[in-house]
């Protein structure tokens, strides 16, 4: 994992942060040309910032020929990928205060059965939030993106969530936190009025434990 303060300093530059965000959201290694085009800067400047992100431990780099082109003479293009799971700041985004509030309210309400109370409160928090977002015209994907889940729909009508906003807690208290997350997202879909959409537990390494199934 990169040093926290070195990484934060590396991302203080807006162009560098935009490049990091672009690389982290792709499902393939990113070339300097692609990164430059995606962020609207020159290839030379993109190369400079991408290498600084490598130095900071946020990206890793290697040389790879494009999959759709035969390998020619000379060195293959340099490409970049995320390094590790990110930082315990907001890269990727975390929302530990939400879990803390739910657990605190559950203990205050029913200390003898706090786990049951927490799941019920997580569902209610999700419904309330979803209803407010729906009133603002927010859909499922934009709601999930705004909450830091990094949703990516696929061709089979699933929405995979590539970031767990409760990552550190989920690694230590998996059953509890994943159960609360499932209840929260179920409530969120209900509040959004997403008829036919279902949140279900589908743990994947390095990602959220919940995935969404959308109606066909």
């Amino acid at each position: 994992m990169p040093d926290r303060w070195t990484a934060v300093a590396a991302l203080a530059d807006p162009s560098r942060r935009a490049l990091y965000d672009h690389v982290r959201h792709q499902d393939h290694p990113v070339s300097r040309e692609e990164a430059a085009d995606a962020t609207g800067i020159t290839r030379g400047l993109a190369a400079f910032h991408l290498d600084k992100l490598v130095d900071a431990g946020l990206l890793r780099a290697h040389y790879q020929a494009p999959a759709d082109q035969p390998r020619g003479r000379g060195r293959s293009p340099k490409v970049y990928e995320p390094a590790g799971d990110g930082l315990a700041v907001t890269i990727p985004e975390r929302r530990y205060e939400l879990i803390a509030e739910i657990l605190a309210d559950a203990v205050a309400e029913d200390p003898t059965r706090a786990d049951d109370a927490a799941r019920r409160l997580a569902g209610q928090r999700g419904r309330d939030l979803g209803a407010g977002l729906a009133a603002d015209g927010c859909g499922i994907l934009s709601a999930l993106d705004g909450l830091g889940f990094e949703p990516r729909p696929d061709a089979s009508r699933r929405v995979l969530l590539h970031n767990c906003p409760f990552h550190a807690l989920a690694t230590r208290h998996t059953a509890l936190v994943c159960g609360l997350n499932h209840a929260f997202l179920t409530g969120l879909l209900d509040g959004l009025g997403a008829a036919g959409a279902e949140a279900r537990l589908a743990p994947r390494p390095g990602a959220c434990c919940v995935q969404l199934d959308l109606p066909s």
Side-chain angles (χ1 to χ4, degrees):
M1 179 179 289
D3 175 78
R4 175 189 177 99
W5 302 117
T6 300
V8 169
L11 293 169
D13 182 279
S15 295
R16 201 169 295 168
R17 177 60 190 261
L19 287 163
Y20 174 73
D21 286 342
H22 176 74
V23 172
R24 192 166 61 85
H25 284 83
Q26 305 312 304
D27 59 1
H28 60 273
V30 175
S31 69
R32 291 169 167 177
E33 289 78 5
E34 178 187 339
D37 290 343
T39 55
I41 62 177
T42 66
R43 181 190 179 281
L45 187 57
F48 171 78
H49 286 310
L50 288 166
D51 286 337
K52 288 296 184 182
L53 291 168
V54 171
D55 292 341
L58 288 164
L59 299 180
R60 59 175 177 262
H62 62 278
Y63 294 94
Q64 176 180 305
D68 59 346
Q69 297 179 19
R71 184 169 181 175
R73 295 179 180 177
R75 180 182 289 179
S76 298
K78 195 172 188 179
V79 294
Y80 300 82
E81 297 177 298
D85 293 331
L87 298 174
V89 282
T90 57
I91 312 157
E93 187 169 358
R94 307 300 190 204
R95 291 188 176 270
Y96 299 121
E97 75 284 353
L98 176 60
I99 290 290
E101 290 169 2
I102 289 170
L103 290 173
D105 289 345
V107 171
E109 180 179 299
D110 189 351
T112 62
R113 302 191 63 183
D115 53 346
D116 292 336
R119 282 190 291 273
R120 181 176 53 76
L121 289 169
Q124 186 59 56
R125 179 67 68 91
R127 280 188 292 277
D128 292 344
L129 181 58
L133 291 171
D136 292 336
C138 193
I140 295 175
L141 295 181
S142 56
L144 292 168
D145 190 53
L147 290 167
F149 284 97
E150 297 185 5
R152 296 184 196 171
D154 65 16
S156 61
R157 303 295 295 170
R158 295 181 308 170
V159 178
L160 303 179
L161 306 178
H162 284 254
N163 179 46
C164 172
F166 320 115
H167 173 74
L169 292 175
T171 58
R172 287 181 292 181
H173 308 285
T174 304
L176 171 63
V177 175
C178 288
L180 295 181
N181 189 22
H182 180 238
F184 173 77
L185 288 171
T186 298
L188 182 74
L189 293 176
D190 187 30
L192 286 167
E198 179 185 3
R200 63 183 182 87
L201 286 170
R204 293 181 300 122
C208 180
C209 60
V210 178
Q211 76 174 35
L212 307 184
D213 296 332
L214 301 180
S216 56

